Amino acid sequence: MIEMIKVSKWFASFQALKEVDLAVGRGEKVVVCGPSGSGKSTLIRLVNRLEAHQEGRVIVDGVELTDDPRAIDTVRREVGMVFQSFNLFPHLTVLENLTLAPVWVKRVPRKEAEETAMHFLARVRIPEQAAKYPSQLSGGQQQRVAIARALCMRPKLMLFDEPTSALDPEMIKEVLDVMVELAREGMTMMVVTHEMGFAKTVADRVVFMDGGRVVEAAPPAEFFGAPKTDRAKLFLSQVLGH
Amino acid sequence: MGRHSGKAKRLAYQAAAIAVALGVAWFFVSNTIANLEERKIASGFGFLGREAGFEIGESFFLRYGAADSYGRALLVGLTNTLAVALIGIVLATCLGTAIGLARLARNFLLRSFAAAYVEFMRNVPLLVQLFFWYAVVTEGMPGPREALSPLPGVFLSNRGIFFPTLSSVPELQGFNFVGGMVLTPEFAALLIGLATYTAAFIAEIVRAGILAVDRGQGEAAHALGLSRPQTTRLVVLPQALRVIVPPMTSQYLNLTKNSSLAVAIGYPDLVSIANTSMNQTGQAIEGIAIIMAVYLTISLSISAFMNWYNAHVAFK
Amino acid sequence: MRWLRENFFGGWASGVFTLLLILILWKALPPFIDWAFLDAVWRPDPKACRAGEGACWGFIAEKHRFILFGTYPYELHWRPAIATVLLIGLWIFSAFRVFWKWWLSIVWLVGLTLIGILMWGGIFGMRYVENERWGGMILTLLLTTFGLAFAFPLSILLALGRRSDMPVIRALCVGYIELIRGVPLISLLFMASVMLPLFLPSGVTIDKLLRAQIAMILFAAAYLAEVVRGGLQAIPKGQYDAAHALALPYWRRTYLIILPQALRISVPPLVNTFIGFFKDTSLVLIIGLFDLLSTIKISLQDRTWTGFGVEAYLFASLVYFAFCFAMSRYSRSFERQ
């Protein structure tokens, strides 16, 4: 589904990614973790071209990402993204947030888009909030709306960039539950997160990054049970210790 | 210090303030009455009914001749002010928005042109710009006989810009054009000066408004597959408008007030005509009072609208 | 290379703009350079100017003494010249934060006294020159300086008054501010020029310069008051609470704690208002004072030199632009700190 081959990226003179190789297969759930500044957010943002790589190749569902706007467009229609700060559109209701893209990008008739929207709102368990504005919802509810919004475009792949980092602790579970359900239904997912419980439950592979490189990549049992590198061991002791 | 003495102090301050204000007002008023009597100047608004005795160079909606009253002359001035202000606001908004967007463009040349425009217009006084445009329109344009004609029936000359109307077409007779509708050089200079000057300020407001929208909004829209124009139109602009409207209306008010500089280049706006009337009748106080009352009404109405807007359209 | 491509030809629309703008530059820049520099006449010779096709900068060369100094006696021009340099020097000196100490006000006092002595004369063997004859650059600068010097403290009082919990004080301040801000500056200048003599007992006169100055001060105070009010509102409420808790009386705590913070926050919009005010001094032309713009305009009325308005006002634009642009750059460097 995703292929990254020797991908490098610079921000001015700072190299954020150093020759990263990564492959995510169809239906696979990959969790990317690491200390801050390790490049994990940058990596995930390369997949839908919110950032552009300077070296290497990024291929999503067979389409190679270059400066070609048509390729970028094709990829973005197939890839859904959920952000740390939700990024819901504050001037639109929840329902309008969900129908905006299907109506304007896929040219779906409004009625059909609204039905799809209500369906996904039910899936994330907040169908009664359809007419409200984002500012009237709690953080957990807003993030679930954001997930539903991405799902309305019926993506083949879902990206999550630290989806629970901005939430109060009591709301993290409701969002993770939705993500777990999504995973169980077979969605291909790439998740950047600090929630190791989620990684243990759902991930097929855990990718650990540090300093712009992939340091270790292994199934969760192996990664959490018997980490190979010192840096991974250090990270795990810090994250799981408390 | 108990609360009682605090309260007494506040009452004392306020009583003193009122006393001072009233005292100063009484001082001014009594002197004025004495001075007016001494100089044998009439007072009151009776002069509005008297015959004005002067011509007005242009009038947009009302018919006016020298035999009409001062009151009517002032009314013509008011309509002239509103005409140039309204057209100026429309032009300034269009130009300003375009330049504001240009300042955010990816194209380096476009960004630089727009930035240079804004820097220059904002750092030169409006009066200088008005004189400049007036000089361009009167010195730079050819005489009626060599008038430029970019479109059939439209003539640009130093006597003004002539347009055909539905009933008559301008024709060269002797040394000038007759017929059609004319935009005097004064009007043209004032309009161009006001529009280009205010556009620079509007450009900065538009730019600030768009920059105020969170970057994540654009990213979320792009992640959903929306194109750049769609993102700007559906997601960024609606949010930017809420930040833009308050300072924008403030600029509209500034443009209207700035139109009073018309008196310096001879366009017969309200201030200009009031000035002529004051010079002829000597009734300066009434004249200035009329000017201030009109502008105050305009600006208070706009303030009221702003308050209504903030209360009802603010982010839910 | 990549930067070039992204910034000039990022999309097809961008490419079109680039070509269009290069075309405009190509068509407009060479003729302008011809007119402004190559064909221009620099000698103060009206016949050569009319015969030539380029700009007539000779007009400026011929009239520059009048433009800079107005009707000040010709042989005494060294006095306003030094005064101008001194005043600009004071402003530049005050721009450095290092010098924001208590003795800065003394420096200003001494400087302004010197300027007064130079301009008026009457002592030290210098001939007395009444202020009706002052004009040009020094007048613009003096109007700005004194205008701001008096308006600023007044504006602080107005801003504090507007936030006062005493309804009468608040009403008076709000009324003043909204009245002044709602009317054009020109009406205030007319008011000062025409009505102020009527307000005073007969026989008492105020000269024209002072009338205009008063109007400018009252005008600036209202606008500056709103900027200061913004600064006062921007201070976190905790500061007000802490000041209250220290049990300082109102004026003490305002002066020591609240105002310094409010003013520090407000420096960029304050400088912007100063720039606007500097530009607004050009309006005194309309009531017959001879500021810089006025002297330029009057020199155009000389019959041997009519018709060069474009050159004259371009020159005026450059002078004002130089001052205002420098001030706005200064304000921006403040924001970065």
mmCIF file of all heavy atoms in Angstrom, chain C residues 308-322:
data_model
loop_
_atom_site.group_PDB
_atom_site.id
_atom_site.type_symbol
_atom_site.label_atom_id
_atom_site.label_comp_id
_atom_site.label_asym_id
_atom_site.label_seq_id
_atom_site.Cartn_x
_atom_site.Cartn_y
_atom_site.Cartn_z
ATOM 1 N N PHE C 308 4.917 71.918 -13.750
ATOM 2 C CA PHE C 308 5.791 70.819 -13.342
ATOM 3 C C PHE C 308 5.275 70.147 -12.081
ATOM 4 O O PHE C 308 6.043 69.732 -11.217
ATOM 5 C CB PHE C 308 7.216 71.327 -13.140
ATOM 6 C CG PHE C 308 7.814 71.827 -14.415
ATOM 7 C CD1 PHE C 308 8.160 73.168 -14.548
ATOM 8 C CD2 PHE C 308 8.002 70.983 -15.492
ATOM 9 C CE1 PHE C 308 8.698 73.640 -15.739
ATOM 10 C CE2 PHE C 308 8.534 71.443 -16.680
ATOM 11 C CZ PHE C 308 8.881 72.779 -16.810
ATOM 12 N N GLY C 309 3.971 70.036 -11.988
ATOM 13 C CA GLY C 309 3.371 69.455 -10.797
ATOM 14 C C GLY C 309 3.808 68.026 -10.548
ATOM 15 O O GLY C 309 4.045 67.619 -9.409
ATOM 16 N N VAL C 310 3.925 67.248 -11.617
ATOM 17 C CA VAL C 310 4.287 65.848 -11.442
ATOM 18 C C VAL C 310 5.636 65.723 -10.747
ATOM 19 O O VAL C 310 5.799 64.962 -9.791
ATOM 20 C CB VAL C 310 4.288 65.129 -12.800
ATOM 21 C CG1 VAL C 310 4.781 63.711 -12.633
ATOM 22 C CG2 VAL C 310 2.894 65.126 -13.388
ATOM 23 N N GLU C 311 6.621 66.501 -11.244
ATOM 24 C CA GLU C 311 7.943 66.454 -10.599
ATOM 25 C C GLU C 311 7.861 66.893 -9.147
ATOM 26 O O GLU C 311 8.461 66.290 -8.256
ATOM 27 C CB GLU C 311 8.934 67.387 -11.317
ATOM 28 C CG GLU C 311 9.398 66.913 -12.658
ATOM 29 C CD GLU C 311 8.488 67.371 -13.771
ATOM 30 O OE1 GLU C 311 7.311 67.652 -13.488
ATOM 31 O OE2 GLU C 311 8.949 67.439 -14.916
ATOM 32 N N ALA C 312 7.109 67.975 -8.934
ATOM 33 C CA ALA C 312 7.024 68.524 -7.574
ATOM 34 C C ALA C 312 6.470 67.507 -6.604
ATOM 35 O O ALA C 312 7.028 67.279 -5.519
ATOM 36 C CB ALA C 312 6.146 69.781 -7.583
ATOM 37 N N TYR C 313 5.358 66.859 -6.989
ATOM 38 C CA TYR C 313 4.728 65.947 -6.040
ATOM 39 C C TYR C 313 5.454 64.619 -5.942
ATOM 40 O O TYR C 313 5.374 63.941 -4.915
ATOM 41 C CB TYR C 313 3.239 65.788 -6.366
ATOM 42 C CG TYR C 313 2.520 67.103 -6.225
ATOM 43 C CD1 TYR C 313 1.824 67.660 -7.288
ATOM 44 C CD2 TYR C 313 2.591 67.817 -5.042
ATOM 45 C CE1 TYR C 313 1.202 68.882 -7.162
ATOM 46 C CE2 TYR C 313 1.976 69.037 -4.904
ATOM 47 C CZ TYR C 313 1.282 69.571 -5.969
ATOM 48 O OH TYR C 313 0.674 70.792 -5.839
ATOM 49 N N LEU C 314 6.190 64.262 -6.977
ATOM 50 C CA LEU C 314 7.052 63.088 -6.833
ATOM 51 C C LEU C 314 8.138 63.368 -5.805
ATOM 52 O O LEU C 314 8.452 62.536 -4.961
ATOM 53 C CB LEU C 314 7.698 62.734 -8.175
ATOM 54 C CG LEU C 314 6.933 61.755 -9.033
ATOM 55 C CD1 LEU C 314 7.688 61.493 -10.321
ATOM 56 C CD2 LEU C 314 6.710 60.443 -8.294
ATOM 57 N N PHE C 315 8.684 64.575 -5.866
ATOM 58 C CA PHE C 315 9.699 64.963 -4.891
ATOM 59 C C PHE C 315 9.112 64.935 -3.486
ATOM 60 O O PHE C 315 9.716 64.400 -2.549
ATOM 61 C CB PHE C 315 10.230 66.358 -5.228
ATOM 62 C CG PHE C 315 11.156 66.916 -4.191
ATOM 63 C CD1 PHE C 315 12.430 66.398 -4.039
ATOM 64 C CD2 PHE C 315 10.755 67.951 -3.360
ATOM 65 C CE1 PHE C 315 13.292 66.913 -3.078
ATOM 66 C CE2 PHE C 315 11.608 68.470 -2.406
ATOM 67 C CZ PHE C 315 12.877 67.945 -2.262
ATOM 68 N N ALA C 316 7.909 65.503 -3.345
ATOM 69 C CA ALA C 316 7.257 65.501 -2.031
ATOM 70 C C ALA C 316 7.072 64.069 -1.543
ATOM 71 O O ALA C 316 7.338 63.751 -0.378
ATOM 72 C CB ALA C 316 5.908 66.212 -2.118
ATOM 73 N N SER C 317 6.606 63.206 -2.466
ATOM 74 C CA SER C 317 6.395 61.805 -2.083
ATOM 75 C C SER C 317 7.671 61.186 -1.555
ATOM 76 O O SER C 317 7.671 60.483 -0.548
ATOM 77 C CB SER C 317 5.912 60.976 -3.274
ATOM 78 O OG SER C 317 4.818 61.582 -3.889
ATOM 79 N N LEU C 318 8.790 61.466 -2.266
ATOM 80 C CA LEU C 318 10.050 60.863 -1.845
ATOM 81 C C LEU C 318 10.448 61.315 -0.450
ATOM 82 O O LEU C 318 10.880 60.510 0.375
ATOM 83 C CB LEU C 318 11.160 61.237 -2.837
ATOM 84 C CG LEU C 318 11.150 60.418 -4.119
ATOM 85 C CD1 LEU C 318 12.145 60.971 -5.118
ATOM 86 C CD2 LEU C 318 11.474 58.970 -3.800
ATOM 87 N N VAL C 319 10.287 62.616 -0.171
ATOM 88 C CA VAL C 319 10.689 63.119 1.141
ATOM 89 C C VAL C 319 9.851 62.476 2.244
ATOM 90 O O VAL C 319 10.378 61.936 3.220
ATOM 91 C CB VAL C 319 10.549 64.651 1.199
ATOM 92 C CG1 VAL C 319 10.846 65.144 2.600
ATOM 93 C CG2 VAL C 319 11.489 65.303 0.203
ATOM 94 N N TYR C 320 8.525 62.517 2.080
ATOM 95 C CA TYR C 320 7.670 61.915 3.098
ATOM 96 C C TYR C 320 7.937 60.423 3.216
ATOM 97 O O TYR C 320 7.973 59.866 4.310
ATOM 98 C CB TYR C 320 6.188 62.146 2.764
ATOM 99 C CG TYR C 320 5.684 63.501 3.178
ATOM 100 C CD1 TYR C 320 5.506 64.515 2.240
ATOM 101 C CD2 TYR C 320 5.381 63.777 4.505
ATOM 102 C CE1 TYR C 320 5.048 65.751 2.619
ATOM 103 C CE2 TYR C 320 4.913 65.016 4.888
ATOM 104 C CZ TYR C 320 4.749 66.009 3.947
ATOM 105 O OH TYR C 320 4.296 67.236 4.325
ATOM 106 N N PHE C 321 8.109 59.768 2.056
ATOM 107 C CA PHE C 321 8.350 58.335 2.076
ATOM 108 C C PHE C 321 9.600 58.020 2.882
ATOM 109 O O PHE C 321 9.600 57.088 3.684
ATOM 110 C CB PHE C 321 8.483 57.808 0.644
ATOM 111 C CG PHE C 321 8.700 56.333 0.583
ATOM 112 C CD1 PHE C 321 7.639 55.464 0.716
ATOM 113 C CD2 PHE C 321 9.967 55.797 0.426
ATOM 114 C CE1 PHE C 321 7.818 54.090 0.683
ATOM 115 C CE2 PHE C 321 10.174 54.428 0.389
ATOM 116 C CZ PHE C 321 9.090 53.577 0.513
ATOM 117 N N ALA C 322 10.654 58.817 2.668
ATOM 118 C CA ALA C 322 11.903 58.547 3.381
ATOM 119 C C ALA C 322 11.671 58.553 4.890
ATOM 120 O O ALA C 322 12.058 57.619 5.595
ATOM 121 C CB ALA C 322 12.954 59.576 2.984
#
